[in-house]
Amino acid sequence: MKITSVRARVFEWKGKTVPPQGNFCSNAMDLLYSRQETMKTFRFHQWTVVEIETDTGLVGYGNVALAPKVAKQIIDQYLTPLVMGQDPWDYEYLSQRMYRATHAWGRKGVGMAAISAVDLAIWDILGKSVNKPVFKLLGGRTKEKIPCYYSKLYRTDLDEMQKEAETFLKQGFTAFKMRFGYGPKDLQKGVVENLKSVAAVREVIGYDTDLMLECYMGWNLEYTKRMLPKLAQYQPRWLEEPVIADDIDGYAELNAMNIIPISGGEHEFSLYGFKQLLDRKAVSVVQYDTNRVGGITMAHKINALCEAYSVPVIPHAGQMHNYHLTMSTLASPMAEYFPMFDVEVGNELFYYIFDGEPVAENGFLDLRDDVPGLGLSLKTEFLDQFDITE
Ligand SMILES: O=C(O)C(=O)C[C@@H](O)CO
Ligand SMILES: [Mg+2]
C-alpha cells in the first residue's frame, strides 16, 4: 500500500457563536492583560482536517486544532513530501521521519500538532485496511465502556453553574471538570470568588462524585501555593495546568506539596516531553492530546511510559483520536468529554466537522468493535457555516 495524496483543509467556523463571557476561564494571558482582552484570545474556531489517500483507494482522516492555518502550511510544505509514496504500515519510520526532519523548529507546539494530524490519518488508514478499529491495533478493548467526565462548567453566575451541574448530574455523570474565573491579578476578591464557585458546584454534585479544577495556565506558583490549602476541603481529584507548561519546576513543587494532585500535559509534546514531566514528578495525571503530542504513534509510547511510572493518562479533550488511546490501555482510567453545545470556546467544534463521535450515556462512552479505523467521517450538515481553505 502507498500514500498517493495528502490534503489539508482549514475549516473556519462562521456560524453562531456564544460571545466571550468575562471571567469565564482563567488563562495564561490573564497575567498580562485585562480579562476582556484575554477572553478574545481564548477562541479555537478553526480546525485543520487532513485526508490521506492510498493507491488501494482508502482515505484516512486526521485533524489538528492548534494554529490550524500554520499547521496546514507545515503539512503542505514539509510533511507531505516526507510521506508521499510511502507505505502507511511503516508508521514508526514515518513518525520518526517527520519528527526528525522538522526537529530543528518543530519539536514542540504546532510542528508536533501538524505531525499528529498526519499520523492520525495514517492510523485511520491502517485500521480501515484490516477492517479493525484503531484501538484493536494498539492493545484492544481494556474496558467494557470508557468512564468519562463532563467537562465544561466555565465560570459564570453561580446559579447558572449549579443549573449546569444539576443537568449533567441527572444525565448520570459522576465526574465533572469546572473552570476558575479568577487568578493572581484579581487579588483576594478573586480568591473568594474562586472558592465560592467550587463550593457551589460541590453543593450540587455532592462528594460521591469526582470534581476536577481547571486553571488553564492562568495562575502562577505563588498564587497556587496559596490556593491549594484553601481548595483541599473540596476534595478535588486534580488541579489542572496551574502554571504555564514551561514551568516544570513549578509543577513539580506544587505536586510535591501533595495537597491536591496536579495534572497537565495538553501543552506538552513528544515522548521526551512526557519523560521529563514524569522524571521530575511534575504531574500526578498525564493529559496529552493525541492530535498535538505527535499522534497515535507517539501517544501509544507515552501510554507505556505512564504505565511504567504508575501515572494515569487521561487525555485532554476527549474526541475520537483520544478515545482509542484510552480504550487500549489500563494506564488510562477515563476520558474527558465535551458534550455538543453551541460553539463557544471551540472545544465543541469537533462535532460540527466530524460524524462518528460517541455520545456519553450515564457517564460512559463506548467504541464499537465493528467500525474500522478511527470511526470518523466528514459531516455535511454544517458545511455551509464554515469557510474552508484548501
Ligand atoms: O478541556 C481542557 O482541559 C481544556 O484545557 C480546554 C480549554 O477550553 C480550557 O478548559
Ligand atoms: Mg485543560
Side-chain angles (χ1 to χ4, degrees):
M1 182 162 54
K2 300 289 182 209
I3 292 172
T4 52
S5 74
V6 178
R7 183 187 190 194
R9 292 184 289 166
V10 179
F11 285 57
E12 183 162 13
W13 179 251
K14 293 299 184 189
K16 182 178 78 164
T17 59
V18 177
Q21 316 289 321
N23 294 88
F24 90 118
C25 183
S26 56
N27 62 86
M29 292 291 280
D30 285 349
L31 278 75
L32 300 177
Y33 297 103
S34 78
R35 184 47 56 83
Q36 288 318 318
E37 282 85 357
T38 68
M39 286 305 102
K40 291 173 197 142
T41 64
F42 204 113
R43 286 287 175 269
F44 301 92
H45 290 171
Q46 299 171 359
W47 216 288
T48 295
V49 175
V50 173
E51 295 163 79
I52 292 184
E53 287 195 47
T54 70
D55 57 356
T56 59
L58 291 174
V59 177
Y61 291 110
N63 73 86
V64 49
L66 285 187
K69 289 188 175 176
V70 176
K72 169 180 164 57
Q73 292 306 316
I74 293 171
I75 293 164
D76 291 348
Q77 295 179 33
Y78 295 92
L79 303 185
T80 296
L82 294 171
V83 302
M84 282 293 284
Q86 298 293 324
D87 179 352
W89 279 106
D90 296 331
Y91 57 84
E92 171 65 15
Y93 169 74
L94 295 178
S95 170
Q96 294 283 357
R97 199 172 198 210
M98 292 189 284
Y99 179 52
R100 292 167 180 272
T102 58
H103 207 73
W105 48 266
R107 49 192 277 276
K108 301 275 184 187
V110 64
M112 292 306 291
I115 289 171
S116 301
V118 173
D119 184 84
L120 290 179
I122 285 171
W123 277 90
D124 192 23
I125 286 168
L126 300 185
K128 288 172 177 175
S129 72
V130 292
N131 200 28
K132 289 285 183 188
V134 165
F135 71 84
K136 285 287 186 181
L137 308 186
L138 299 172
R141 182 178 290 275
T142 65
K143 307 162 182 65
E144 188 182 347
K145 290 187 177 182
I146 301 174
C148 63
Y149 69 87
Y150 172 77
S151 183
K152 194 167 183 284
L153 288 167
Y154 283 92
R155 175 64 199 253
T156 182
D157 298 338
L158 297 187
D159 59 347
E160 289 302 312
M161 293 183 79
Q162 291 191 314
K163 283 180 197 153
E164 181 184 343
E166 183 89 43
T167 298
F168 289 92
L169 184 70
K170 286 177 177 168
Q171 288 190 19
F173 285 94
T174 59
F176 297 79
K177 183 157 84 181
M178 62 180 284
R179 274 73 181 171
F180 287 111
Y182 300 87
K185 281 181 70 178
D186 303 297
L187 306 177
Q188 182 58 21
K189 185 178 184 309
V191 170
V192 170
E193 283 302 317
N194 282 336
L195 295 173
K196 278 164 60 177
S197 64
V198 180
V201 172
R202 264 299 184 206
E203 183 184 326
V204 169
I205 67 174
Y207 281 83
D208 59 350
T209 56
D210 274 334
L211 178 61
M212 288 73 86
L213 308 176
E214 166 74 276
C215 310
Y216 199 64
M217 307 176 285
W219 294 0
N220 57 26
L221 178 59
E222 181 272 334
Y223 184 83
T224 310
K225 287 165 78 171
R226 284 193 285 130
M227 285 300 290
L228 284 171
K230 300 178 195 299
L231 289 166
Q233 62 182 307
Y234 301 110
Q235 302 173 40
R237 179 161 174 174
W238 70 69
L239 183 79
E240 184 167 331
E241 286 205 303
V243 297
I244 56 171
D246 280 343
D247 187 3
I248 297 176
D249 288 342
Y251 265 97
E253 183 173 343
L254 294 167
N255 208 31
M257 289 172 71
N258 207 23
I259 297 174
I260 298 172
I262 303 299
S263 76
E266 69 180 86
H267 296 107
E268 189 47 79
F269 305 86
S270 88
L271 177 64
Y272 297 92
F274 284 87
K275 178 184 183 297
Q276 196 176 32
L277 287 182
L278 294 166
D279 284 343
R280 310 255 294 265
K281 298 188 185 314
V283 293
S284 296
V285 179
V286 158
Q287 297 174 299
Y288 63 66
D289 196 326
T290 309
N291 74 350
R292 299 179 179 180
V293 75
I296 290 172
T297 305
M298 198 71 86
H300 191 214
K301 295 176 181 178
I302 296 166
N303 279 357
L305 198 60
C306 290
E307 183 177 339
Y309 279 80
S310 296
V311 173
V313 184
I314 303 177
H316 164 259
Q319 289 157 8
M320 196 59 111
H321 45 267
N322 291 307
Y323 297 150
H324 286 272
L325 275 296
T326 291
M327 177 59 90
S328 59
T329 175
L330 288 176
S332 182
M334 69 193 285
E336 181 166 8
Y337 181 74
F338 298 129
M340 184 173 183
F341 283 102
D342 288 345
V343 176
E344 183 176 14
V345 173
N347 298 317
E348 54 287 307
L349 210 53
F350 205 80
Y351 290 108
Y352 292 78
I353 299 172
F354 291 108
D355 259 333
E357 282 280 291
V359 176
E361 285 184 26
N362 275 325
F364 286 86
L365 293 165
D366 196 8
L367 298 185
R368 291 173 46 183
D369 290 328
D370 61 347
V371 176
L374 289 172
L376 295 173
S377 58
L378 286 180
K379 191 169 268 181
T380 54
E381 185 181 344
F382 298 99
L383 274 182
D384 61 341
Q385 297 185 61
F386 284 99
D387 280 348
I388 298 177
T389 309
E390 287 283 352

